[in-house]
Amino acid sequence: MSQQQMNNNTSSSNIPVSERYWTLVDKADKKFSKIRDLPYYERNRYDTYFYKVFKVYTQLWKFQQENRQKLVEAGLKRWEIGEIASRIGQLYYGQYMRTSEASYLSEAYIFYEAILTREYFKEGSFQDFNLANKQLRFLARFLMVCLVLNRREMVHQLVNLLKMLVDECKRTFQDTDFKEWKLVVQEIVRFLKADTAFMNIRPLRYSLVLDPHPDVLPHVAAPVARKNLRLRDAVLSSYHHNEVKFSELTLDTFRMLQCLEWEPSGSFYLSAGGKNGQNGALGSSRINHSQDIADPTLPPNPRKAVLYRPSLTHFIAVLATICEELPPDGVLLVYLSASGGTTGHTLSPSGSGTCFNAAENITRDFQSHTIHSDGTSTSSMSSPSNSPNPSASQKKGDCISYHTGCLQFGNCGSGGLNCIYPSDLIPFTRRPLFIIIESDASEVFKAISGAEKGERAALLLSPNCSFPIGSSDASRHSVGSLLTIFLTAPLQAFCLLLGISGSDIEMDTYKHAESLLSSSLNDWGLTLATSDNLDPVWAQILGDQFLRRFLLRFIFCRAVLTLFVQTYNKEEFHPECMPALPDAVSPRTSAFQTAVVQLAKLFHATKRFVFTEAIPLPDDINSGTRS
């Protein structure tokens, strides 16, 4: 060791432990403030920032552990230790959002769980308003991590703790307005009411217990599949008036986010066994952390950027950045769920439901439901006297828009800044795009097909008219968007369409139906792979397990809605895709009608569908529950 190093060590040892600790805290705080608001989508640019700040917090955490007694004697509070652990948890979650690496999410959970079990924020929280707020923020962040990680038992436990803490804070700090925290509680309760145990009988993630291994997927002949593309990135964005959400994660984007990840070792399915508990014991999931480790032989999760109410400029900036970083064999998934920039009369096969009508130029004035106001005007405008529906146009939240054929991601008071048009996506078709549009204005996005700038895009388009599902018809989005549910939980979507909920179903019937559907999807995948007239756009993505699963579930959704009595021969209620798929997977073929009738038979619902020919049923179709 050099003389200078010895002098530095001697000088450092003369500095009191508490002073060295607070110097480290100050250094960590400064680095954390620089990275806290960095965008999730510019991943490569900010990697070095993350590692620098994480290195400082690692040093800080280790230092306080080694010198805990001296620091406590010098006045260190338990909540200050909790604050460091919470920051580390935030760093891990932020890095998960940038990279989609599940290990970061698991690490965030471990730190947050330690804070909860050791009650770092509890002492003195009802005497100090700032400390109470720290505990509330910690619970909200931990809730988000548990939701994404699908730890539902801990989610319900945290919701109960959050409710009790907000109520206690209201009693203790009577002069303080806790309206924002009441909104947080209302949001998560509404979210869990929509995303029930029934919706999570099967994991939304890709599970090797239930889904085919990538190595066994049928290959498409080389002349048809000129490329073999892999899903590398996804942009997920959703905004509907009064939609179900928690923070900036909506029900639609949450389900898509889940569906674009690997289920670690099938742990959800094996441990839950098809049942979700409502209450978990404190720390009950600690022993299961090893199950969160993904199989290293599997490809990485595609990276995802989740955007809530993006302005057009922000949306384009994100797309441009991701396209710039997309590898040569990569395809970008763009998922957009929003109401169209024009709304019209209500059309429905049974007197209910909503439908896009391009003839009318009346749009909703969407209100912001985020905790932090973005300063956007929400003032409504009255309709002119010659409006096709003056009474409807004058309702609060409605306004006149002269923009047609777009998706609205916010109120229309800011003109086109909150509108996304088909033409906005066309410049990015220089790279392979897989586009999913969930909207009553989905039809206008057909304009992308044939206008591409280099690579033909694959499009899955929802029906223009939405058939109401779930127990409540009050809101189209009370349980989520129909096509999205079919893409992420197809059997649950089938049941919801029939009016069957979790309380109506027997698990043996459900498991039999799941087996039938799984077998049908695999057969359809083989049919596509061996088809002589499969369009190269679909052929080049069939080798990707995530995109293949979306496509097969779309085909199932199309078949169900085509044969469903109330949407039969009503094209506006049928989803579409571009380019066209082979006739071999047409909804009216015998194979597809057989698959649908088998499922319908299990749920005593064959009369709810129209079959164009007599479909023989296998002898082993057993009876199920009443619909």
Side-chain angles (χ1 to χ4, degrees):
M1 183 181 290
S2 67
Q3 185 66 37
Q4 184 178 358
Q5 287 176 316
M6 291 176 62
N7 291 337
N8 288 340
N9 289 340
T10 303
S11 174
S12 176
S13 63
N14 292 332
I15 301 174
V17 168
S18 59
E19 189 173 329
R20 287 156 59 194
Y21 172 77
W22 289 112
T23 300
L24 264 177
V25 169
D26 184 58
K27 182 180 178 181
D29 283 347
K30 287 178 180 177
K31 288 192 176 294
F32 185 84
S33 65
K34 289 180 180 179
I35 171 179
R36 179 174 52 197
D37 297 322
L38 293 179
Y40 289 146
Y41 59 90
E42 294 184 75
R43 292 101 168 184
N44 298 342
R45 179 179 175 185
Y46 298 116
D47 279 350
T48 53
Y49 286 80
F50 170 78
Y51 290 115
K52 284 180 181 178
V53 70
F54 191 78
K55 182 179 179 181
V56 174
Y57 271 97
T58 302
Q59 293 172 349
L60 180 58
W61 186 252
K62 185 178 179 182
F63 187 85
Q64 67 84 21
Q65 284 183 316
E66 293 172 346
N67 300 277
R68 176 72 61 84
Q69 188 58 39
K70 290 181 181 178
L71 291 171
V72 169
E73 291 172 358
L76 181 68
K77 302 291 191 299
R78 284 185 62 77
W79 70 262
E80 292 172 310
I81 301 172
E83 185 84 342
I84 299 170
S86 181
R87 288 277 178 90
I88 295 173
Q90 282 180 260
L91 288 173
Y92 273 126
Y93 180 71
Q95 193 64 359
Y96 159 75
M97 291 299 290
R98 288 184 176 89
T99 65
S100 292
E101 290 184 26
S103 59
Y104 289 122
L105 193 62
S106 296
E107 291 292 339
Y109 181 93
I110 290 170
F111 270 87
Y112 282 138
E113 185 191 39
I115 297 169
L116 182 69
T117 55
R118 297 170 192 178
E119 300 183 329
Y120 282 126
F121 290 117
K122 189 172 183 179
E123 185 179 342
S125 60
F126 297 129
Q127 286 77 46
D128 186 330
F129 173 74
N130 290 328
L131 185 53
N133 259 312
K134 287 180 184 294
Q135 189 172 6
L136 288 167
R137 285 195 295 270
F138 152 69
L139 289 175
R141 292 189 184 113
F142 193 12
L143 260 172
M144 181 64 76
V145 169
C146 291
L147 266 182
V148 177
L149 199 54
N150 227 339
R151 299 244 179 204
R152 287 309 174 104
E153 291 185 356
M154 184 60 83
V155 166
H156 288 286
Q157 179 183 325
L158 292 172
V159 170
N160 290 333
L161 288 174
L162 188 63
K163 286 179 183 176
M164 289 189 291
L165 185 58
V166 170
D167 290 341
E168 186 62 35
C169 286
K170 282 164 58 184
R171 285 191 294 269
T172 305
F173 308 105
Q174 295 180 1
D175 297 334
T176 309
D177 186 5
F178 280 86
K179 181 195 243 178
E180 290 181 348
W181 285 111
K182 285 172 63 180
L183 177 62
V184 172
V185 171
Q186 290 168 5
E187 278 192 349
I188 187 60
V189 168
R190 188 175 176 223
F191 192 100
L192 295 176
K193 185 178 179 181
D195 197 54
T196 60
F198 172 67
M199 292 303 299
N200 292 275
I201 289 177
R202 171 190 170 128
L204 301 189
R205 293 190 181 102
Y206 198 103
S207 169
L208 293 184
V209 176
L210 300 166
D211 299 298
H213 194 283
D215 293 344
V216 303
L217 296 180
H219 294 286
V220 180
V224 181
R226 292 190 290 268
K227 297 180 182 178
N228 192 17
L229 299 179
R230 289 287 180 267
L231 178 62
R232 303 297 187 187
D233 279 273
V235 175
L236 312 175
S237 193
S238 168
Y239 178 73
H240 294 276
H241 177 62
N242 200 31
E243 71 184 330
V244 177
K245 71 181 188 71
F246 179 58
S247 185
E248 295 186 350
L249 192 63
T250 70
L251 198 55
D252 284 346
T253 53
F254 169 74
R255 287 172 177 161
M256 292 296 293
L257 180 79
Q258 292 275 301
C259 209
L260 292 171
E261 302 214 336
W262 294 101
E263 177 68 20
S265 307
S267 60
F268 177 94
Y269 180 78
L270 294 174
S271 62
K275 294 181 181 179
N276 279 3
Q278 295 291 315
N279 298 291
L282 193 64
S284 62
S285 54
R286 182 183 298 277
I287 61 172
N288 295 326
H289 289 317
S290 62
Q291 294 181 340
D292 291 331
I293 300 173
D295 185 342
T297 65
L298 293 174
N301 290 327
R303 299 188 302 181
K304 296 168 285 291
V306 180
L307 308 178
Y308 180 71
R309 291 188 67 191
S311 66
L312 176 62
T313 50
H314 179 55
F315 176 73
I316 288 177
V318 174
L319 277 187
T321 302
I322 292 177
C323 283
E324 188 72 21
E325 297 177 353
L326 198 66
D329 69 339
V331 57
L332 168 62
L333 168 66
V334 179
Y335 169 83
L336 299 176
S337 177
S339 294
T342 60
T343 59
H345 337 37
T346 297
L347 294 179
S348 159
S350 59
S352 59
T354 58
C355 183
F356 171 73
N357 186 340
E360 298 183 17
N361 293 325
I362 304 172
T363 66
R364 296 184 182 91
D365 180 15
F366 294 93
Q367 304 286 330
S368 171
H369 290 282
T370 53
I371 293 176
H372 303 289
S373 171
D374 61 2
T376 307
S377 170
T378 57
S379 60
S380 60
M381 300 169 62
S382 60
S383 63
S385 57
N386 62 351
S387 167
N389 188 354
S391 60
S393 304
Q394 291 169 2
K395 292 178 182 177
K396 182 179 179 180
D398 288 350
C399 60
I400 299 302
S401 170
Y402 296 99
H403 304 288
T404 60
C406 65
L407 303 184
Q408 282 277 0
F409 279 89
N411 65 71
C412 60
S414 55
L417 286 179
N418 291 329
C419 300
I420 295 177
Y421 295 85
S423 57
D424 295 324
L425 297 177
I426 290 174
F428 302 101
T429 56
R430 291 172 173 85
R431 305 304 304 271
L433 297 186
F434 189 100
I435 302 170
I436 302 174
I437 304 294
E438 177 77 79
S439 175
D440 52 5
S442 62
E443 188 175 19
V444 301
F445 282 79
K446 289 180 180 179
I448 294 174
S449 185
E452 295 95 340
K453 297 298 182 182
E455 295 281 349
R456 290 173 63 205
L459 287 95
L460 302 183
L461 306 175
S462 72
N464 285 335
C465 297
S466 176
F467 187 83
I469 57 174
S471 57
S472 172
D473 295 343
S475 170
R476 176 186 175 190
H477 305 285
S478 59
V479 292
S481 301
L482 182 58
L483 176 62
T484 301
I485 301 177
F486 266 102
L487 295 180
T488 57
L491 187 55
Q492 289 91 322
F494 182 82
C495 292
L496 288 173
L497 193 68
L498 299 176
I500 300 171
S501 65
S503 59
D504 303 324
I505 204 166
E506 292 178 1
M507 285 312 301
D508 287 343
T509 301
Y510 183 88
K511 288 177 182 177
H512 192 177
E514 185 68 59
S515 176
L516 281 173
L517 178 58
S518 232
S519 175
S520 297
L521 292 173
N522 290 334
D523 290 344
W524 302 339
L526 182 61
T527 300
L528 284 176
T530 56
S531 174
D532 294 332
N533 56 347
L534 180 66
D535 193 286
V537 169
W538 301 117
Q540 66 189 5
I541 59 94
L542 265 188
D544 182 272
Q545 62 284 337
F546 294 112
L547 298 181
R548 175 185 182 272
R549 190 166 67 156
F550 279 144
L551 179 57
L552 295 179
R553 290 174 173 183
F554 170 86
I555 293 172
F556 172 64
C557 173
R558 185 177 66 170
V560 170
L561 292 175
T562 299
L563 302 174
F564 192 53
V565 165
Q566 289 163 286
T567 56
Y568 185 73
N569 280 339
K570 295 181 174 68
E571 297 294 333
E572 66 272 21
F573 290 92
H574 304 165
E576 295 185 80
C577 66
M578 301 189 78
L581 290 166
D583 291 338
V585 291
S586 166
R588 300 185 189 276
T589 61
S590 177
F592 280 83
Q593 292 196 50
T594 299
V596 174
V597 78
Q598 286 179 350
L599 286 176
K601 179 71 174 178
L602 278 175
F603 298 111
H604 293 295
T606 52
K607 292 183 179 179
R608 303 286 299 276
F609 296 90
V610 178
F611 302 107
T612 57
E613 55 184 283
I615 305 296
L617 287 175
D619 294 334
D620 63 343
I621 292 290
N622 54 9
S623 59
T625 59
R626 293 183 180 178
S627 64

